[in-house]
Amino acid sequence: MNKNKFLPPIVCGFGAAVLTIVPGIKSFSCCLIVPLAGILSIYLDHRINKSELPIRIKHAIWFGFMTGIIATLFATSLDVLITYLAHTNDFVQALPQTEAVIRHYKLNQVLDQTMSMLRQMSNDITMYGFSAFYTAGILFSNFIINTIFGILGGILGMIFINKRTSV
Amino acid sequence: MEASHRSNLPVKKINILAALVERTIFRKRAFRFLLFLLLALWCFAFSFDSLFNGSIEAAITYPFLKYIFHLVCHQLNEKSFLINGNYLMVCARCTGIYLGAFLTSIVALLYTKRTSLTLRWLYISMIPMLVDVASNTFHIYSYSKIFAFFTGLFFGSTVFIYILSTIENNFTDNLYTK
């Protein structure tokens, strides 16, 4: 088994995960971090493993997907770790604002149900530094978003490499 | 008898070919329709709270949608469109990118010809967006939602064409001809 095959998605996925938690980078690069990691991943694979050209779409999708999965695992782990150390995070800090927006709807019954669940998560984080529900939520949403954007990055990377080498 | 059988052969071949072409066009349309649905769902999700402001559904989904779109966008209010008293879940530039892809998917449903573009157009579509981002970062001019939206719209529609053509030219060719 070629160990180098998994190196580009691991490196790029880890890089993307680190960048997604750095304040400031997010407002600058928006949704481009994971797609860029996907592009870089397939480019690195092409350089390291000398993969045959033209790159096939299945290969590109696989690399994008792997990058997304790795980014998800690292981003969730880093988020959980930082939350555990700080006993707070973006979610806890944004909760009053979220509550104000939901209160604006003036739907008391629904508000109570939704807010009690969110407050429970916030209290767990503030007291113990960990909330299982919050962790499951970020893992799920990170997985969906990162894999989709990773696959898009992989396809874009394939376009760049195939078109450049065919000229 | 034999002669009539021979004369039927090209007709049969043409019929088979026509059926294949028809099936290919149908599958291509089906695939493009799937992409259109996915993009419509995505655009609907980020504008849901603005479109249904005040409803129970909007109140329930607000925190979850806010978190999901927080993963793909900074969601700064000063850089987002205010619609129906609520800010969209993504900034003006991201709104442009996703709407651009969505609008192009509608065009792709109507225009089923295969497209293949050179990389030049992808670079050209990136330039206005990069110039806008750089100009805002270095305070050459102040942020404009409209400009961010249109640069994103241009980029999103171009990227969608590239991704669609790549998938169709590589992956779905096998599906179409099976």
Side-chain angles (χ1 to χ4, degrees), chain A residues 12-27:
Chain A
C12 297
F14 178 73
V18 170
L19 287 178
T20 52
I21 59 160
V22 175
I25 299 273
K26 186 111 194 167
S27 63

Side-chain angles (χ1 to χ4, degrees), chain A residues 18-62:
Chain A
V18 170
L19 287 178
T20 52
I21 59 160
V22 175
I25 299 273
K26 186 111 194 167
S27 63
F28 179 72
S29 55
C30 248
C31 53
L32 297 175
I33 296 171
V34 179
L36 285 177
I39 293 172
L40 193 64
S41 169
I42 199 148
Y43 177 73
L44 287 179
D45 174 64
H46 170 63
R47 294 299 297 264
I48 295 169
N49 299 321
K50 308 277 181 224
S51 49
E52 59 180 85
L53 289 169
I55 294 169
R56 295 175 66 197
I57 195 154
K58 281 180 187 170
H59 186 74
I61 287 176
W62 172 246

